[in-house]
């Protein structure tokens, strides 16, 4: 679906310091979503979403030819079908297209089970779950242009956001951002821009910016040794979107390499995997905040998982940022929760969650038909 990032054409914005495969690049003008719909023999429907973006052709192939056929004709009982699939596919890698496809199916199966229980997904997992979450604006990349960064942060503040994440890495832009948002939570995602030595210099340079976290500071993103050294020194390293499976992420949490663990529900193995990381975070005292550059079922899945636990107040009095919302303008919405900042967000940055059973994902069929670029139906018969 096409979106508008509301970029202004300035001289400095014509050159980017990120690659064109990054979803925050100006080369992205539409966002693809790989959505899965599962229908049971009893007529229950579950929705899921797998990563995503320019990897969609590979995830599609894995889903259509390998993962989806495995589930046809099987029970939807979570403790039966999901462990069997995870074992069957373990030799295909702990991350990558097969795992992304499995993540989509996992989400859909949890949606079905919650609907069968006639409960929202969050209440199906935890009866004491809350009914709203606090969102933060995930801004695109503005070519390190301080004026452009400030302009869009003001836009985000006017939409109700009370926390913000940048995709910049240079201090002039980040300092302007801090001046613009004052004491509100500010984070940066540098997209694995640095090696270990550069990362240490970058953290030192930004130490006075009071950044809640610096996301994926090194390449490769799961360089455990470098992450642990940085987090030991600075206590604000985040990562996890591109770690290899649940165990790879938990291992780094146990090593103290991450202050903020950020698994992506459409990558790491769906809701089943996210719950394992959540449990590890509770056990280890680490923050677990999902990475979520989605607008379909994975967005709602992330929100439902966040709502399992009470909000957390930071030492500076601000609420901890929770749900990542791509700060984009959409002319058309696939479902009511597609872009909360355009319709649902309260002035304090909170967003009410759906009260319908399951995920709460109910797509507009006309919009789905208009924007579907590829479709396949598989049946057990």
């Amino acid at each position: 679906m096409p979106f508008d990032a509301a970029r202004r054409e300035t001289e400095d914005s014509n050159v980017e310091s990120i690659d064109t495969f990054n979803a925050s690049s100006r080369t992205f003008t539409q966002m693809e979503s790989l959505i899965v719909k599962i229908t049971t023999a009893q007529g229950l429907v579950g929705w899921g979403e797998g990563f995503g973006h320019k990897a969609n052709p590979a995830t599609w192939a894995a889903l259509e030819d390998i993962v989806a056929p495995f589930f046809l004709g099987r029970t939807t009982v979570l403790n039966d079908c999901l462990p069997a699939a995870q074992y069957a596919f373990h030799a295909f890698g702990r991350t990558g297209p097969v795992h992304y496809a499995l993540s989509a199916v996992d989400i859909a199966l949890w949606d079905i089970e919650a609907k069968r229980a006639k409960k929202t997904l969050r209440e199906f997992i935890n009866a004491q779950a809350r009914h709203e979450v606090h969102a933060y604006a995930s801004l695109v990349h503005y070519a390190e242009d301080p004026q452009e960064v400030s302009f869009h942060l003001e836009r985000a503040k006017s939409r109700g956001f009370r926390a913000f994440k940048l995709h910049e890495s240079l201090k002039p832009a980040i300092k302007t951002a801090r001046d613009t948002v004052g004491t509100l939570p500010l984070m940066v995602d540098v997209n694995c821009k640095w090696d270990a030595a550069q990362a240490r210099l970058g953290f030192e340079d930004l130490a006075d910016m009071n950044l809640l976290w610096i996301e994926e500071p090194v390449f490769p993103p799961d360089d455990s040794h470098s992450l642990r050294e940085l987090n030991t020194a600075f206590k604000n390293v985040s990562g996890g979107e591109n770690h290899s499976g649940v165990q790879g992420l938990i291992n780094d949490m146990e090593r103290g390499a991450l202050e903020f663990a950020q698994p992506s529900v459409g990558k790491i193995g769906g809701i089943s995997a996210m719950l394992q990381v959540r449990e590890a975070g509770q056990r280890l005292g680490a923050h677990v905040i999902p990475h979520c550059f989605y607008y379909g079922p994975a967005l709602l899945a992330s929100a439902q998982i966040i709502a399992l636990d009470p909000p957390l107040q930071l030492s500076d009095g601000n609420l901890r940022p929770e749900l990542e919302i791509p700060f984009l303008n959409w002319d058309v919405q696939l479902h009511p929760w597609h872009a909360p900042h355009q319709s649902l967000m309260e002035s304090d940055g909170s967003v009410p969650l759906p009260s319908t059973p399951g995920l709460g994902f109910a797509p507009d069929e006309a919009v789905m038909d208009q924007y579907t670029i590829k479709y396949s139906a598989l049946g057990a018969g």
Side-chain angles (χ1 to χ4, degrees), residues 32-34 49-57 59 100 266-267 294:
E32 292 184 9
S33 177
L34 180 50
E49 181 178 2
F51 187 83
H53 305 312
K54 289 187 176 181
N56 266 329
T59 308
Y100 304 163
K267 283 186 171 183
Y294 302 102

Side-chain angles (χ1 to χ4, degrees), residues 204-224:
E204 290 173 349
D205 187 38
L206 297 173
D208 59 344
M209 292 294 98
N210 191 28
L211 298 173
L212 183 60
W213 72 66
I214 299 178
E215 188 171 334
E216 293 197 322
V218 297
F219 184 82
D222 52 358
D223 176 357
S224 301

Side-chain angles (χ1 to χ4, degrees), residues 295-296 299-300 325 330 332-345 351-356 359-365 367:
Y295 65 78
L299 170 65
L300 283 164
I325 299 293
W330 305 85
V332 179
Q333 296 192 35
L334 180 61
H335 59 105
W337 244 75
H338 182 140
H341 59 288
Q342 291 185 218
S343 56
L344 299 174
M345 186 173 293
V351 185
L353 295 180
S355 59
T356 53
L359 285 176
F361 179 75
D364 183 316
E365 292 185 6
V367 174

Side-chain angles (χ1 to χ4, degrees), residues 147-357:
Q147 290 185 336
E148 197 73 359
V149 167
S150 179
F151 173 77
H152 291 286
L153 283 170
E154 291 289 2
R155 290 180 54 238
K157 288 166 61 179
S158 72
R159 297 282 182 91
F161 286 107
R162 308 295 293 165
F164 316 88
K165 184 169 82 175
L166 307 178
H167 286 82
E168 318 296 332
S169 59
L170 299 182
K171 190 165 185 177
I174 296 170
K175 183 181 185 305
T176 298
R178 171 53 72 200
D179 292 342
T180 302
V181 304
T183 59
L184 294 175
L186 182 66
M187 303 79 73
V188 298
D189 181 354
V190 301
N191 295 118
C192 309
K193 184 180 180 67
W194 300 318
D195 62 24
Q198 292 169 334
R200 178 168 283 276
L201 291 175
F203 273 74
E204 290 173 349
D205 187 38
L206 297 173
D208 59 344
M209 292 294 98
N210 191 28
L211 298 173
L212 183 60
W213 72 66
I214 299 178
E215 188 171 334
E216 293 197 322
V218 297
F219 184 82
D222 52 358
D223 176 357
S224 301
H225 178 75
S226 296
L227 292 174
R228 182 174 57 187
E229 285 195 341
L230 288 168
N231 200 47
T232 299
F234 300 100
K235 301 297 185 185
N236 66 340
V237 173
S238 83
E241 176 197 358
N242 294 304
H243 275 60
S244 295
V246 169
Q247 201 57 52
L249 179 52
I250 292 177
N251 286 345
D252 267 2
M253 295 166 67
E254 291 174 338
R255 294 186 185 103
L258 297 171
E259 197 74 11
F260 297 88
Q262 296 201 270
S264 173
V265 70
K267 283 186 171 183
I268 198 168
I271 290 166
S272 300
M274 297 290 279
L275 294 178
Q276 293 178 61
V277 178
R278 170 179 174 257
E279 185 280 329
Q282 293 172 335
R283 171 169 54 87
L284 298 167
H287 298 272
V288 177
I289 302 177
H291 181 274
C292 182
F293 213 76
Y294 302 102
Y295 65 78
L299 170 65
L300 283 164
S302 300
Q304 297 272 359
I305 291 166
I306 289 167
L308 298 176
D309 302 304
L312 179 66
Q313 190 172 53
L314 299 170
S315 59
D316 62 5
N318 287 306
L319 287 175
R320 181 182 67 180
E322 296 180 322
L323 181 65
E324 180 177 17
I325 299 293
F327 189 52
L328 306 169
N329 295 330
W330 305 85
D331 291 335
V332 179
Q333 296 192 35
L334 180 61
H335 59 105
W337 244 75
H338 182 140
H341 59 288
Q342 291 185 218
S343 56
L344 299 174
M345 186 173 293
E346 304 290 344
S347 59
D348 64 353
S350 65
V351 185
L353 295 180
S355 59
T356 53

